[in-house]
Amino acid sequence: MKKQKMWMLAAILTCGLGTVLTACSDKDGKADKQESAQQADASYAIEVEPGLTMPVNNLETRIKTLTNYDKSVVTALQRIDGVTDVKPYDMAVATFNESLNQFFGKTAYYFNFKQLVDHNDPSKGYFKQQCIITVAGKDRPTVVETCGYALTGADQPYTNSIDQINLPILVQVLNANSLHVEHRYHGWSLPEGWTNRWNYLDAKQQADDLHAIVTAIKKSGVVGKDNKWLSTGVSKDGSTTIHYAYYYPNDVDAYVPFSSPFTLSLEDERAYRYICSPEALGSRYEKVKTAFRTFFGDKKLQADIIAYLKKYSASYADFSDETIRLYLMNKMIRNHFQKMSFVPYTKWESWIPEPGDNVVKYLNYIFADSNTRYPSDTQGEYERRTVNDEENQESIYADNETRAAGAIKERYFPYDIQCLKQLGVGAIACDWIKEYLTAEEQKELFVRYDPAKFGVSYDGGAFMRSLLEGMKQSDCHICYVYGMQDPWTAHRIPDEYLGKNSFVLLIKDGLHNDYIDTWNFSERNILFQWLQGLGFDL
């Protein structure tokens, strides 16, 4: 019951920053919940099986078909065997450098591709896989964004909006065509429909999907047949790039995954250890470490913070002090992870509390996450946040026992299921504060994972071992990019598994993104010279 209350609290407390909780009210909370309920009622309509309903697919109907577009692109797509539902539409392209906007029209072409449910057994039939292509010119290279999720990065299709999909920065740097392929089981690319069965969810099946689509597009004439091809992605998108390179090392000329982890066990704790390490924090290490140890070790400080919350927000009234305390501990750890992932130190290091600071200073830091508007933010920087900023903040792992009981009633996030099957999980393990926690508190905060509760089984690390050995032997041209501030850099590919044509590029102040424009000249030059050496025109 304690755990259920803790995560119920996490679900309803959405107020955050700046003046901390003074803007929160019980009235606002009720209005938000009513609006959310209305949206859900309007979206979920079809019962798939007892206890499991699915949303209505209104994604295609929300695309406003254009009348002014390149009809040769549509014709070429329609000629591809298995391509259906081709729709040109207006796409809001967000570039990292406004001077590049002149190279990009905003016309994108949505289509579905007839894909095998099981590439090992064609008798299992087909499903529709969602794709988007943009065309800069037949004389330009093509960049494949190997989506690790739905096209928009979200897995609530009734809210998806593909008119605002972000182009990888390498599309802009290379003035390239782009091809975006939705990952199977995400969005509306559903091999087994809207169910909780995951029989064909694995890296090999998705790599086969990519190979089939890239091969078809190359033959079609939609883009230049003989021009260069590159595959890229960030985070899970980048992991999918690596999986594609492993199974099809010669499909494209270069592979550039950003911030892509090699998780070596079901519960790999390295990323959470990294968030409070000298390697990641540099000169800020002692200050961050002290802030955590002070908050976790000072019972009076915790009591004062809890009293403040109960005084200024009615949302906390129904919860015990112990539940709130555990919630705040979890929030501080997870939001520190978020800041390390997505926000430069310079924006939040002044927020790090020190012994003797008041309650508000601690609350500001505890609740500050990647979406916080920090004092130094500009509107442009704030609006440029990507879908990865929102990635899985309240994962199924947070409360797997509670949710497992209702497994048939909801379709879990497919990324989480794939992690439980073969990719592994980034588990919370904050060694620098464990001495302040009882065994019971550690059990509450550091959740363990049981794939069986979700009807799947972990492969014992077999896929990751084969992936590492395969990349070591591969002759594909691949540059693994990691940011030194990013927690997932702790999971970077070990040097002993680099192939003869691969290397790791570490970005000194890099985050969990592909923002090449924030790198220094030397870092950019390393990547650009490598691409030029492979024949890409920059």
Side-chain angles (χ1 to χ4, degrees):
M1 181 61 70
K2 184 193 297 181
K3 185 179 291 185
Q4 290 178 339
K5 284 187 176 181
M6 177 180 170
W7 293 106
M8 190 189 308
L9 180 60
I12 67 171
L13 298 179
T14 57
C15 299
L17 283 287
T19 56
V20 184
L21 300 166
T22 54
C24 295
S25 70
D26 192 52
K27 179 180 178 181
D28 290 340
K30 289 180 180 177
D32 290 342
K33 282 185 280 187
Q34 288 173 356
E35 182 178 356
S36 176
Q38 291 169 358
Q39 291 173 346
D41 291 342
S43 302
Y44 283 90
I46 304 171
E47 186 173 49
V48 180
E49 53 191 49
L52 179 65
T53 56
M54 67 176 287
V56 173
N57 185 354
N58 59 11
L59 178 62
E60 292 181 25
T61 61
R62 294 165 75 180
I63 300 174
K64 295 181 180 179
T65 304
L66 299 177
T67 56
N68 182 24
Y69 58 88
D70 188 339
K71 292 179 173 56
S72 68
V73 173
V74 172
T75 300
L77 285 171
Q78 290 174 334
R79 286 175 179 168
I80 299 174
D81 184 30
V83 167
T84 60
D85 311 310
V86 179
K87 291 187 178 182
Y89 71 97
D90 198 24
M91 176 174 170
V93 178
T95 63
F96 77 95
N97 186 332
E98 291 185 2
S99 66
L100 293 177
N101 283 337
Q102 60 183 304
F103 297 116
F104 298 101
K106 292 187 178 180
T107 302
Y109 301 85
Y110 170 91
F111 65 95
N112 279 300
F113 187 83
K114 185 180 179 182
Q115 193 68 264
L116 285 166
V117 169
D118 182 358
H119 289 276
N120 301 314
D121 184 359
S123 69
K124 296 288 173 51
Y126 300 86
F127 71 99
K128 285 184 176 183
Q129 191 163 34
Q130 292 192 133
C131 305
I132 294 171
I133 195 167
T134 65
V135 180
K138 291 189 176 183
D139 62 336
R140 303 308 308 156
T142 299
V143 170
V144 184
E145 183 184 33
T146 51
C147 301
Y149 306 96
L151 282 175
T152 61
D155 271 281
Q156 296 176 323
Y158 51 92
T159 62
N160 280 0
S161 178
I162 63 175
D163 61 337
Q164 294 182 348
I165 190 169
N166 286 61
L167 292 176
I169 283 182
L170 283 174
V171 173
Q172 302 159 37
V173 169
L174 296 169
N175 181 23
N177 311 302
S178 70
L179 173 64
H180 309 259
V181 181
E182 187 165 70
H183 198 292
R184 58 170 47 214
Y185 285 91
H186 291 261
W188 287 106
S189 299
L190 305 173
E192 298 179 277
W194 192 266
T195 72
N196 287 316
R197 294 181 287 276
W198 313 99
N199 295 313
Y200 312 107
L201 174 59
D202 59 54
K204 178 62 164 61
Q205 294 283 1
Q206 179 63 15
D208 291 342
D209 293 345
L210 291 165
H211 175 68
I213 293 172
V214 168
T215 300
I217 295 294
K218 282 184 176 180
K219 291 179 179 178
S220 70
V222 175
V223 295
K225 295 181 180 180
D226 300 321
N227 294 324
K228 293 291 180 180
W229 281 68
L230 180 146
S231 174
T232 191
V234 179
S235 192
K236 176 53 164 58
D237 298 355
S239 295
T240 307
T241 298
I242 296 169
H243 305 160
Y244 184 34
Y246 170 46
Y247 290 110
Y248 293 98
N250 300 310
D251 256 25
V252 300
D253 301 284
Y255 300 83
V256 187
F258 294 82
S259 308
S260 306
F262 288 80
T263 312
L264 303 181
S265 62
L266 176 59
E267 299 173 340
D268 194 328
E269 300 174 342
R270 289 175 297 161
Y272 273 94
R273 288 184 176 136
Y274 188 84
I275 62 173
C276 191
S277 68
E279 183 181 15
L281 289 166
S283 62
R284 306 157 190 86
Y285 169 67
E286 288 297 338
K287 189 175 181 181
V288 169
K289 182 178 178 180
T290 298
F292 269 88
R293 292 167 72 91
T294 299
F295 174 71
F296 276 73
D298 189 337
K299 301 297 184 183
K300 183 180 184 304
L301 174 62
Q302 293 173 7
D304 289 345
I305 291 175
I306 292 167
Y308 183 94
L309 291 174
K310 287 190 169 183
K311 179 179 180 180
Y312 288 104
S313 176
S315 299
Y316 292 84
D318 295 333
F319 297 96
S320 69
D321 287 4
E322 178 64 10
T323 298
I324 297 171
R325 191 169 71 85
L326 285 169
Y327 167 72
L328 292 172
M329 288 178 174
N330 185 280
K331 201 72 173 173
M332 186 172 188
I333 296 169
R334 290 180 179 272
N335 281 351
H336 178 66
F337 193 102
Q338 285 285 311
K339 292 190 286 288
M340 292 288 289
S341 298
F342 300 111
V343 186
Y345 297 124
T346 53
K347 292 187 183 295
W348 55 266
E349 62 183 342
S350 65
W351 290 42
I352 303 170
E354 300 182 50
D357 280 341
N358 61 29
V359 165
V360 172
K361 184 69 177 283
Y362 276 90
L363 279 174
N364 278 339
Y365 186 78
I366 290 170
F367 284 119
D369 64 7
S370 63
N371 297 308
T372 301
R373 177 72 73 96
Y374 295 92
S376 59
D377 276 340
T378 67
Q379 187 68 14
E381 287 171 331
Y382 183 72
E383 290 180 345
R384 195 183 65 173
R385 302 236 188 264
T386 70
V387 295
N388 286 323
D389 291 351
E390 308 291 342
E391 180 180 284
N392 200 23
Q393 288 191 5
E394 296 295 339
S395 166
I396 64 170
Y397 308 133
D399 194 15
N400 59 12
E401 292 183 7
T402 300
R403 286 193 168 191
I408 195 63
K409 296 181 180 179
E410 58 180 292
R411 187 175 187 275
Y412 290 123
F413 201 42
Y415 165 74
D416 292 333
I417 298 299
Q418 191 174 2
C419 287
L420 293 175
K421 289 182 66 176
Q422 65 175 174
L423 302 184
V425 176
I428 293 182
C430 300
D431 295 339
W432 70 95
I433 54 171
K434 279 188 176 180
E435 65 187 270
Y436 298 104
L437 302 171
T438 66
E440 181 64 23
E441 288 168 343
Q442 290 188 39
K443 183 179 178 181
E444 293 286 339
L445 290 173
F446 309 145
V447 179
R448 302 296 87 180
Y449 314 110
D450 184 359
K453 291 184 181 294
F454 300 92
V456 298
S457 59
Y458 180 57
D459 69 1
F463 169 69
M464 276 297 171
R465 289 193 295 272
S466 65
L467 177 64
L468 285 168
E469 288 294 339
M471 297 313 294
K472 181 178 181 179
Q473 302 300 323
S474 178
D475 62 356
C476 72
H477 295 273
I478 183 167
C479 171
Y480 304 92
V481 183
Y482 297 96
M484 290 303 294
Q485 185 184 317
D486 179 20
W488 292 109
T489 296
H491 294 246
R492 62 185 179 268
I493 185 170
D495 290 344
E496 61 267 29
Y497 290 106
L498 291 173
K500 64 180 181 181
N501 293 324
S502 64
F503 68 102
V504 172
L505 177 55
L506 293 175
I507 307 304
K508 182 177 180 295
D509 296 315
L511 300 168
H512 196 76
N513 57 41
D514 64 348
Y515 294 168
I516 295 172
D517 59 317
T518 65
W519 301 0
N520 64 42
F521 174 80
S522 176
E523 292 163 345
R524 288 195 299 271
N525 201 40
I526 291 171
L527 178 61
F528 293 169
Q529 285 192 350
W530 177 70
L531 290 173
Q532 287 175 328
L534 295 176
F536 287 88
D537 178 24
L538 283 88

